[in-house]
Amino acid sequence: HPHKPDAQGGTCVWSSFAVDRGPGMTILSIYIPYFNLVKNLTSAFPNVHSISQFHQKAPAVCCCSKAQSGQKYADPFKLGWRDLKGLYEDIRKELFISTTDLKEMAEYYFDGKGKALRPIIVVLMARACNIHYNNSRDMQASQRSVALVAEMIHTASLVHDDVIDDASSRRGKHTANKLWGEKKAVLAGDLILSAASMLLARIGNIAVTTILSQVIEDLVRGEFLQLGSKENENERIAHYLEKTFNKTASLIANSCKAVSVLGCPDPVVHEIAYQYGKNVGIAFQLIDDVLDFTSCSDQMGKPTSADLKLGLATGPVLFACQQFPEMNAMIMRRFSLPGDVDRARQYVSESDGVQQTTYLAQQYCHEAVRQISKLRPSPERDALIQLSEIVLTRDK
Amino acid sequence: MSLRPVLLRLPRYFGVSGPPRRRWWWSRSLDLTSRRGQSSRSPVHWNQVVSEAEKIVGYPTSFMSLRCLLSDELSNVAMQVRKLVGTQHPLLKTVRGFVHDTRHNLQLRGLVVLLISKAAGPSRMNASCQDYDVVSGIYSCQRSLAEITELIHTALLVHRGIVDLSELQSSDGPLKDMQFGNKIAILSGDFLLANACNGLALLQNNKVVELIASALKDLVQGVYQENSTSGKENHITEHIGISTWKEHTFLTDGALLAKSCQAAMELAKHDTEVQDMAFQYGKHMAISHKINSDLQPFIKEKTSDSMTFNLNSAPVVLHQEFLGRDLWIKQIGEAQEKGRLNYAKLRETIKAGKGVTSAIDLCRYHGNKALAALESFPPSEARSALENIVFAVTRFS
């Protein structure tokens, strides 16, 4: 793991969490002086304010690209979308049923306005693995199907999450539960899941079916982890990272792995794909949690401080708590008393919780890049490297 | 690891007194010897039929797999559901139904899948199945499938109990309770579905995965439709004819059992004809079972006046068909008192018509179809048990 040596002997505000949890997940142990932290961050991303937005149609101008293969810089999204044309139409075909209003509900989120981050990663990984294995630039139909399955499983879980969180908006529009009621929304989620399973089975690869079925279980486990909480501060961060793996990273990690299994028989490559997906997934969620504090609602498509209002203590809060132990009581009661949410936000802004979370995300990204760099150079591999940086620098 | 203490604790988690009905669930001294020649006194009483059938399959079908029961998530759920005690959330009622015996035997599907697996016998394609474990003539993958079927049924049962928050009335209690209940219902249902999906993947047969996933898709549609057409007490139902009723019922009741029976055959690599017969048995048996339960309010000797019935149930739909829409609306109007439906009065009206008798006929029609499908299976005690289930379900005297 990359370490930042403590040259100036400043006070350490990071605890060491060398805990091994779950499938090969080691939480990084980092010591860094506080006053070096910000300096390191800004030197790594000198043009952090000129990075264009995450979700946009024009080619991005990213100043920190590392095109190791020497090939021309390309926008990873554009590159990925070449294979994903018709993604949403194809998903809607899978949802074809006789009950028309249920079909409409199920199709509601597949309107083409989502980020489609997961399918993009999947198709890029597919090509990167295929090229690595036998220099083949072709992508198999089954690999593209994995992209669809991933997006469907993700959406099904979002639909249920929105009911659980009583959310009113997502991606800039009303949630299904607000439009049609909770009962129907839950059934729509179930329908999407069943369609995803059918498509998965039709891919016809037992390993792939097993790998992606695991995701469904992890998603539920993540939700349960979120229901519970830990008393001990040190345990909390580990618990938070485990929840993050289950809720977000598992899907990306396992879809990358599935697509690599279809493309090449080498288990080393499968592991690389899995590790890339896992690390990018965790980083993505960490930044998502940061954005909940730092951005304002019209950029995100959903209201912010959403996590606090749901009683969830995410990265910035957990790190802030180390500086302000008075936050402990609020965390334990899940910010349920009036004024808790605002006070917590205040503490976070006065602390370095955001910076620490961002730094942690950066470490995960570095690990993702380190892994994927083991594959043979290709435009897709480089796109995946860039993607991990975009994950860090996005603002919505 | 003894399962019994866990099972006995379950009712207390859910605020229900008393242990589960079958105390001998984990008794090791089960008599597993087959009972030949007992068809001279074929049992038609429901409970008897079921307990005989369970002996034939080697052990009673379990409520949930061991893995499920021992998971953290389930004890979490149990803890959360306890918080619902005292509220009006439907989840509580659903859960209580699991630990109390009801006529709608929740283990019926699993039991039928096991019986049909046994009735079909071992795979003729020995090469593919020779590594499978066999207990009491049933492959372990088929047992797994039976469990998965129950998981899916239970998951949707739980998801059915989710409440629309915008339609709450003050009599439903605090909003907070309903929100919390919904949350737990969604998570529990998802937990069960996730276990089902994983279980399916472990079967290592993509055809079966696709088949069962399509059954789930059917079931979801069925539940959705019943949600849309169910009339509230004071509203007149949409007119659904008997053919629509049949389509709905296939989705809500027939599909899961039919496709699971078929999948059980696929697991043992039986050919498509056998698979189709299993499908037919499952489908017709499930439909006749549904009609039987729809008929209960109309054929029981003593029914309390306040007992309601579903206006979209078979006898009522058939009654409508005979009368025609206008006359039916008139009858509903006559049965309304101060804006509320007098179910007792409406029940008498329906009993006086042809709905009940034609529902009984329809039940027997499907029962006969189920029996016909069984004829292609070699005679065995498992097959007899399946026949007895049909007899019990079509018996109305």
Side-chain angles (χ1 to χ4, degrees):
Chain A
H1 309 290
H3 277 62
K4 295 273 180 193
D6 179 8
Q8 288 176 274
T11 44
C12 296
V13 292
W14 291 64
S15 321
S16 156
F17 311 112
V19 175
D20 206 330
R21 276 179 164 268
M25 185 164 120
T26 339
I27 294 152
L28 307 169
S29 83
I30 304 156
Y31 283 85
I32 187 162
Y34 176 58
F35 45 86
N36 259 350
L37 174 61
V38 176
K39 186 170 149 207
N40 284 324
L41 269 178
T42 50
S43 65
F45 299 103
N47 300 304
V48 73
H49 296 293
S50 63
I51 306 288
S52 48
Q53 302 204 8
F54 191 63
H55 177 73
Q56 40 85 61
K57 298 206 160 93
V61 177
C62 177
C63 305
C64 44
S65 85
K66 290 187 185 117
Q68 318 220 336
S69 64
Q71 296 206 14
K72 195 176 171 226
Y73 171 94
D75 171 10
F77 281 86
K78 256 184 116 177
L79 192 56
W81 268 106
R82 279 167 16 182
D83 287 314
L84 293 174
K85 274 200 266 290
L87 170 75
Y88 292 109
E89 287 84 5
D90 291 337
I91 291 178
R92 286 197 291 269
K93 279 186 205 146
E94 298 297 321
L95 297 170
F96 186 76
I97 50 171
S98 53
T99 320
T100 29
D101 17 320
L102 180 58
K103 181 162 87 88
E104 262 173 45
M105 283 188 68
E107 289 179 353
Y108 182 66
Y109 285 121
F110 297 112
D111 54 5
K113 299 215 181 83
K115 299 197 264 286
L117 173 70
R118 291 157 187 80
I120 298 263
I121 293 179
V122 166
V123 299
L124 291 175
M125 181 61 77
R127 286 193 185 269
C129 290
N130 294 352
I131 291 169
H132 174 87
Y133 175 58
N134 58 6
N135 250 324
S136 154
R137 291 219 66 194
D138 293 329
M139 188 176 75
Q140 298 165 39
S142 58
Q143 290 173 314
R144 188 173 178 278
S145 292
V146 171
L148 267 75
V149 172
E151 188 66 0
M152 288 166 84
I153 292 177
H154 170 64
T155 307
S157 74
L158 284 186
V159 171
H160 281 191
D161 282 354
D162 282 345
V163 184
I164 290 172
D165 297 341
D166 196 29
S168 0
S169 69
R170 175 177 288 282
R171 293 183 191 161
K173 59 185 194 182
H174 292 300
T175 50
N177 42 296
K178 290 297 174 193
L179 286 175
W180 292 290
E182 286 73 19
K183 200 161 173 172
K184 288 184 176 175
V186 170
L187 292 174
D190 289 344
L191 186 82
I192 299 170
L193 181 68
S194 67
S197 297
M198 288 176 74
L199 180 54
L200 180 58
R202 288 206 308 274
I203 291 174
N205 182 306
I206 288 173
V208 167
T209 304
T210 307
I211 291 168
L212 288 172
S213 298
Q214 180 61 43
V215 173
I216 300 171
E217 205 174 13
D218 288 347
L219 284 169
V220 177
R221 184 171 301 120
E223 280 294 324
F224 273 101
L225 283 171
Q226 203 163 266
L227 259 187
S229 54
K230 297 284 176 185
E231 295 263 350
N232 184 319
E233 267 183 49
N234 281 334
E235 276 192 350
R236 271 191 217 135
I237 295 201
H239 181 260
Y240 165 67
L241 288 169
E242 190 181 351
K243 180 214 83 169
T244 300
F245 170 77
N246 279 293
K247 275 198 82 167
T248 312
S250 170
L251 176 57
I252 302 177
N254 283 299
S255 8
C256 285
K257 184 174 176 181
V259 104
S260 77
V261 161
L262 288 168
C264 112
D266 184 359
V268 171
V269 174
H270 306 162
E271 185 62 14
I272 290 170
Y274 180 86
Q275 289 298 330
Y276 172 84
K278 184 190 104 186
N279 284 284
V280 160
I282 295 178
F284 179 79
Q285 186 60 53
L286 290 174
I287 296 295
D288 209 59
D289 293 342
V290 161
L291 288 171
D292 195 45
F293 282 91
T294 59
S295 81
C296 57
S297 56
D298 35 78
Q299 272 183 309
M300 288 292 278
K302 51 181 170 167
T304 51
S305 281
D307 293 330
L308 281 176
K309 289 172 188 157
L310 288 170
L312 302 176
T314 57
V317 167
L318 295 175
F319 287 122
C321 186
Q322 289 176 335
Q323 283 176 269
F324 298 108
E326 39 288 35
M327 292 180 80
N328 265 309
M330 286 199 289
I331 292 177
M332 288 313 297
R333 62 177 184 251
R334 301 176 84 99
F335 313 105
S336 51
L337 291 184
D340 274 356
V341 169
D342 290 327
R343 275 175 64 210
R345 232 201 312 237
Q346 184 64 24
Y347 278 125
V348 167
S349 65
E350 287 170 19
S351 72
D352 58 1
V354 162
Q355 290 90 324
Q356 289 197 47
T357 312
T358 309
Y359 185 72
L360 187 58
Q362 193 187 339
Q363 299 305 304
Y364 279 105
C365 277
H366 284 177
E367 179 61 16
V369 169
R370 192 181 74 84
Q371 290 283 344
I372 199 73
S373 304
K374 294 179 192 169
L375 291 185
R376 189 184 297 196
S378 67
E380 284 78 14
R381 187 201 72 168
D382 295 340
L384 287 170
I385 289 173
Q386 261 168 264
L387 207 68
S388 70
E389 287 157 14
I390 291 176
V391 158
L392 278 178
T393 57
R394 67 191 179 107
D395 58 3
K396 66 177 278 215
Chain B
M1 166 95 206
S2 168
L3 193 56
R4 205 150 183 273
V6 179
L7 290 172
L8 289 176
R9 260 202 304 258
L10 268 177
R12 242 169 291 147
Y13 281 148
F14 305 136
V16 163
S17 61
R21 181 179 73 99
R22 294 189 203 86
R23 292 170 183 273
W24 48 271
W25 267 18
W26 230 250
S27 161
R28 295 256 181 256
S29 60
L30 272 181
D31 179 19
L32 297 177
T33 56
S34 62
R35 310 251 228 99
R36 295 246 148 84
Q38 49 95 34
S39 55
S40 52
R41 194 185 58 83
S42 24
V44 282
H45 188 268
W46 184 250
N47 287 343
Q48 206 179 346
V49 167
V50 167
S51 52
E52 301 264 341
E54 285 178 333
K55 285 180 193 160
I56 291 170
V57 298
Y59 56 71
T61 49
S62 59
F63 169 58
M64 272 187 206
S65 72
L66 186 62
R67 194 164 157 254
C68 257
L69 273 166
L70 296 179
S71 70
D72 286 336
E73 284 89 356
L74 192 72
S75 48
N76 203 334
V77 167
M79 210 173 62
Q80 308 289 355
V81 171
R82 270 162 100 195
K83 294 184 198 165
L84 285 176
V85 172
T87 70
Q88 310 257 25
H89 198 277
L91 179 63
L92 201 56
K93 198 166 145 212
T94 308
V95 162
R96 283 196 174 129
F98 296 158
V99 288
H100 268 315
D101 181 36
T102 63
R103 200 171 190 291
H104 304 279
N105 191 323
L106 290 167
Q107 300 167 5
L108 177 65
R109 282 151 214 84
L111 185 57
V112 168
V113 171
L114 291 176
L115 282 171
I116 207 149
S117 301
K118 186 161 182 173
S123 169
R124 257 143 249 157
M125 289 176 54
N126 283 317
S128 51
C129 297
Q130 63 188 8
D131 292 334
Y132 292 172
D133 281 335
V134 180
V135 174
S136 285
I138 301 168
Y139 294 112
S140 57
C141 54
Q142 291 170 321
R143 283 191 194 275
S144 214
L145 177 68
E147 212 168 76
I148 288 167
T149 308
E150 287 296 337
L151 281 175
I152 290 176
H153 169 76
T154 308
L156 264 292
L157 209 59
V158 169
H159 276 182
R160 257 179 177 115
I162 284 165
V163 168
D164 279 332
L165 298 177
S166 58
E167 292 179 3
L168 288 178
Q169 293 165 351
S170 54
S171 57
D172 291 316
L175 175 69
K176 221 163 42 79
D177 287 345
M178 288 296 156
Q179 277 179 322
F180 182 72
N182 276 358
K183 189 169 171 167
I184 300 305
I186 297 172
L187 287 180
S188 321
D190 286 351
F191 168 71
L192 295 171
L193 284 176
N195 269 279
C197 288
N198 257 320
L200 281 174
L202 285 170
L203 296 175
Q204 311 229 311
N205 185 320
N206 276 313
K207 263 197 222 160
V208 166
V209 176
E210 193 179 356
L211 197 50
I212 303 298
S214 82
L216 174 61
K217 198 176 182 193
D218 292 337
L219 183 54
V220 172
Q221 285 184 78
V223 173
Y224 184 91
Q225 286 175 5
E226 97 193 348
N227 189 39
S228 309
T229 61
S230 68
K232 293 225 153 127
E233 247 198 59
N234 301 329
H235 303 162
I236 296 170
T237 57
E238 265 179 41
H239 177 67
I240 63 163
I242 192 66
S243 52
T244 312
W245 182 91
K246 280 196 184 181
E247 280 168 23
H248 280 200
T249 305
F250 174 73
L251 292 176
T252 51
D253 290 80
L256 183 59
L257 188 55
K259 291 181 179 181
S260 301
C261 287
Q262 185 186 342
M265 302 296 99
E266 163 65 32
L267 282 173
K269 301 287 182 223
H270 290 301
D271 61 41
T272 44
E273 275 154 41
V274 177
Q275 289 191 28
D276 188 48
M277 288 297 112
F279 178 95
Q280 296 298 328
Y281 176 82
K283 170 180 160 185
H284 291 291
M285 195 250 116
I287 294 177
S288 68
H289 183 257
K290 177 69 162 61
I291 299 174
N292 179 303
S293 80
D294 281 356
L295 276 165
Q296 292 309 305
F298 300 93
I299 59 176
K300 275 215 227 332
E301 291 290 318
K302 291 182 194 158
T303 48
S304 74
D305 281 348
S306 58
M307 184 179 179
T308 62
F309 50 84
N310 187 338
L311 292 175
N312 279 322
S313 61
V316 183
V317 169
L318 285 166
H319 175 83
Q320 270 187 66
E321 288 256 302
F322 283 115
L323 278 188
R325 182 95 176 123
D326 295 332
L327 205 50
W328 169 238
I329 291 176
K330 183 160 172 262
Q331 284 183 342
I332 290 189
E334 283 163 7
Q336 293 207 319
E337 286 158 16
K338 302 177 199 168
R340 297 189 68 116
L341 199 54
N342 182 339
Y343 279 95
K345 188 169 176 197
L346 193 60
R347 184 176 25 245
E348 292 312 310
T349 314
I350 292 171
K351 275 162 95 165
K354 296 195 225 157
V356 175
T357 44
S358 52
I360 292 176
D361 287 341
L362 188 61
C363 182
R364 290 187 172 141
Y365 165 79
H366 284 287
N368 285 329
K369 285 244 164 181
L371 289 174
L374 278 181
E375 274 162 29
S376 58
F377 290 83
S380 67
E381 55 181 4
R383 188 183 116 170
S384 306
L386 288 168
E387 285 164 359
N388 289 335
I389 288 176
V390 174
F391 295 142
V393 148
T394 52
R395 181 174 157 267
F396 291 104
S397 45

